[in-house]
Amino acid sequence: MRFYLFIFYFLMFLTNQLLSQGTIHLLLKDPIGQPIEGVIAVSKDQKRSSTTDVNGKLRWVYNTAQDTMILMHLNYVDKTIVVEQSQTVLQVRLTPHENILKAAEISSTWTKPNSIIVHTTLHESTLMQKNMALDVPYLLQHLPSTVSTSDAGNGIGYTGIRIRGLDPTQINVLINGVPLNDAESQNVFWVDLPDLIASASAVQVQRGIGLSGSGQVAFGSSILINTNKFSLKPFMTVELGAGSFNTYKSSLAFGTGNIKNNWNIQGRLSMLRSAGYIDRASTQLWSGSMSISNITAKRSLRWHLFDGLEKTYQAWYGVPIQYIESNNRTYNAAGTEKSGSPHANQIDRYRQTHLQFIHNEMIARSWSMQNIVHYTPGQGYFEEYKSDQLPIDYLLKGIDPIDLVRRRNLNNDFFGTIHSAHYTGAPFDIQFGVSWNTYLGRHFGEVIETDLTKLQVPTRYYDHKASKRSAMAFGKLEYQLGLLQVIGDIQYRTLRYQYVPEHIQANTTETVNHEFLNPKVGLAMQMDGNNQLYLFSGLAHREPGREDYIKAGNIFPKVEKVWDNELGWRWLSSQLTFEQNLYYMSYRNQLVPTGQLNDVGAYIRSNVASSYRLGSETSIQWKVHKIGSISGNINLSQNRTRSLTEFIDDWDTGTQESMILFDKPIAYSPNQIINMSAQINILNQAITSHQHRLDFEMQGQSIGSQYLDGTGSKYSQLKGYQVINTQLYYTVSKKNKPIFDIRLQVNNLWNNQYESNGWIYRFKSPGYNPLPDDPYTALEGGDQYHQKGLFPQAGRHAFIGLRIFL
């Protein structure tokens, strides 16, 4: 409540400030009169900024009779102009850089500011201010319809993100147009590339299935990361930070600037350690990146290297429900099968390297092309202590149960090429492309210790290979007919997946083949310089993940399909942005956990014939000269399955009971997500020859209740929660060049206790009461119980960082 009162008074203050301001409309063009999109206009004192739209237009608000602004664009020479209060419309032409490629330097998957695709773009200045120690999901958690969660409880290590209730397997993540999603599980493991955002120049989050690109398939959302940074001048940045839970971060970034023959080199090394909020949930992360580029007037060549190594103590079991209720919120069950102290090396360790070569070429004034070659090797394991295991299950001698330490290993290689061409010539904008990707994976398990005795030669008890080969072709046509913009998009995708089923003892390979055709269409009406209406409809298909296939048995999973419909209105100006979006996502054969067993007794996800997501997303941002800004977004939704068959184990009989449920909520899909943020400029003053600036930001988030399964039972409900985070950002600069900055971040300011994630398993046990023996168990009534684990998040915690620009 205190936060919302603060927002109310801040709004009143902003309103008073707006009354005295004037407006001028600028039109930015190139030397032959074509509009330039993405020109950044910044006031001389750096207190105000605005960006041109696709038509090269921007609206500028000023307070004085004369106002000086600087116009900046990567492909054009900076230009300083003076506007006067008597002017209402002004046309300005910019001069191209001689050594900068004018073709787009990012993937065709990215969308324009006024696109029909609902999106949010975070630019480098915002990313630099917010990137401290937390993983990517926590940097994005205040975007519309977004929920983040952390196994360790403090946003470092294994973290996850859901957008519109969609988990990471349904979110298409690209780095410079190259897929980051694991080809088999379709999941994204952010922990493998720590401090990735430090190398990013922009991040765009698209909601809905979006337009076709080079990734797997956007089955509901996309996260696009661009690391094509470019600095004409040499630089070096040193970053040091420390915070709660023994969190430490250090980072070194450097760049050579433009050197002989237009070569440019940039690099970064980062180290991050944290003990975590949950017991023993420690994290040790190392990462590095190197980018080499050569950019001329008609060609750019870039080589990217990203490398990450993580060592994380497991915390993925969640805290038992009985401990949560008794306020023992940091208990970690990992490693506790070992008598006495927990197993010390109950860790996950993985290294992943990304190599990318990106070539952009201006073929003619209207034609450009892009070629990408990529290779991503990875290898690692997770280790765990297991008690009372049967030797035969591990190809060991003996019949009596033993205690052992096992490692489950994964070695994989992912590589491919991506090619696209782009034609721009009014009234047409045409893009088309193809890609080929190959994944080669090896899953094997080893016993490294039995009954506290290390084995000189580990015993390998399974060794399964997998491969996945996919190809994709797409075409997009955008046609501008006066104020009406029409977009047509079609994607063809084919794949071949070979794997070893879990229930087959011999190393027998199974093969599945899929072909998908994904059409999309959109309309946008530009009502005037500020107002836009848009409509989008499209179809997407997605193959099941690895676990669905290897556990399938005789119940083979079907392909999932979603029909996405979006309708919205935008109002854009230099100070006020408002967007109202409505969406309806209709699913066929959505895969969800129902408790069902396959024919050999393994739990599987089952296809639900029909389900849907119906929602409203409202976003607003208000910028005020000299004061700051206020922004917020609200997602209200219904996420339902039309019918669902729940399967419940009976521990006495070893059978399952089934029950058909109608109109139930989809798991992990809150029907209300609210974010509000206020940023205030406290100080912006020149002292001697240095400029000092102090900004304060407060962010509030409210997440409605959600369910851990699809039953809608009160026992599976995860309570809603509210959390407020704050940040102070102090920077000292000279001649518009930063010298150092200090950032203080305090999360969960009111010290609320909440859980952001969890799991549940429901069963019947007429003849045995498991409550005294299992802290994960709770009684529902009669002979029905459930096991539940929740993931508590840290109370009030802080992090402070110092960054020095050399």
Side-chain angles (χ1 to χ4, degrees), residues 375-535:
Y375 172 51
T376 304
Q379 59 180 354
Y381 62 85
F382 69 90
E383 179 178 314
E384 54 187 352
Y385 190 99
K386 302 296 292 184
S387 62
D388 296 325
Q389 302 293 295
L390 294 176
I392 192 174
D393 293 336
Y394 295 89
L395 307 182
L396 298 171
K397 297 179 180 179
I399 58 174
D400 295 328
I402 60 174
D403 295 347
L404 54 84
V405 177
R406 69 186 186 190
R407 285 182 176 177
R408 295 189 174 185
N409 299 266
L410 171 63
N411 291 351
N412 52 24
D413 295 275
F414 179 64
F415 53 89
T417 65
I418 304 165
H419 312 274
S420 62
H422 187 190
Y423 170 80
T424 304
F428 292 102
D429 191 297
I430 302 171
Q431 297 183 59
F432 53 89
V434 295
S435 70
W436 294 267
N437 292 311
T438 297
Y439 170 89
L440 303 175
R442 186 180 184 187
H443 306 260
F444 61 96
E446 296 178 320
V447 177
I448 64 171
E449 181 180 311
T450 59
D451 289 332
L452 302 180
T453 300
K454 290 186 179 295
L455 302 181
Q456 290 187 351
V457 179
T459 298
R460 184 164 297 185
Y461 62 98
Y462 72 88
D463 193 343
H464 296 161
K465 294 182 180 180
S467 66
K468 190 173 187 178
R469 294 173 171 84
S470 63
M472 183 271 294
F474 76 93
K476 292 186 281 190
L477 170 65
E478 180 179 320
Y479 180 69
Q480 192 73 40
L481 182 62
L483 298 177
L484 182 65
Q485 181 186 70
V486 182
I487 293 179
D489 181 314
I490 192 163
Q491 179 196 60
Y492 170 76
R493 182 167 176 258
T494 179
L495 66 92
R496 179 183 179 89
Y497 180 46
Q498 295 181 302
Y499 64 98
V500 177
E502 192 174 75
H503 64 285
I504 297 179
Q505 294 299 322
N507 203 357
T508 303
T509 301
E510 297 284 346
T511 302
V512 291
N513 295 280
H514 292 297
E515 292 184 79
F516 303 136
L517 191 65
N518 301 317
K520 302 158 191 173
V521 64
L523 297 172
M525 175 66 75
Q526 194 71 38
M527 309 299 291
D528 53 38
N530 302 112
N531 290 277
Q532 184 191 47
L533 297 173
Y534 59 86
L535 172 68

Side-chain angles (χ1 to χ4, degrees), residues 48 557 661 677 687 736:
R48 289 161 292 147
L661 307 175
S677 175
I687 302 176
N736 296 326

Side-chain angles (χ1 to χ4, degrees), residues 298 481 571 775:
K298 293 186 178 182
L481 182 62
W571 195 90

Side-chain angles (χ1 to χ4, degrees), residues 297-313:
K298 293 186 178 182
R299 176 181 297 125
S300 74
L301 303 174
R302 294 182 184 270
W303 292 264
H304 292 301
L305 165 67
F306 306 100
D307 196 18
L309 173 63
E310 60 90 7
K311 180 181 176 182
T312 306
Y313 197 97

Side-chain angles (χ1 to χ4, degrees), residues 166-171 181 184-187 216-220 468 493 495 514 516 518 539-545 548-549 558-562 587-592 605 607:
L166 300 159
D167 65 40
T169 68
Q170 300 166 308
I171 300 172
N181 300 69
E184 283 195 287
S185 70
Q186 303 181 47
N187 212 331
Q216 306 280 73
V217 172
F219 204 64
K468 190 173 187 178
R493 182 167 176 258
L495 66 92
H514 292 297
F516 303 136
N518 301 317
L539 193 65
H541 298 77
R542 188 175 76 124
E543 70 275 15
D548 301 309
Y549 284 122
K558 299 177 182 177
V559 168
E560 298 177 277
K561 181 169 64 175
V562 61
Y587 294 86
R588 293 293 181 269
N589 298 319
Q590 185 178 15
L591 281 163
V592 299
R605 294 197 306 170
N607 291 107

Side-chain angles (χ1 to χ4, degrees), residues 137-138 140-141 146-150 160-162 701 721 756 793:
Y138 279 77
L140 306 179
Q141 66 179 334
T146 302
V147 178
S148 61
T149 185
S150 166
I161 188 171
R162 292 190 179 96
Q701 184 175 57
Y721 57 89
S756 61
Q793 302 300 288

Side-chain angles (χ1 to χ4, degrees), residues 42 44 68-72 77-82 92 94:
V42 181
K44 189 176 182 180
T68 301
M69 71 174 71
I70 304 169
L71 303 173
M72 297 180 294
V77 177
D78 293 353
K79 187 169 187 174
T80 301
I81 64 171
V82 177
V92 181
L94 299 183

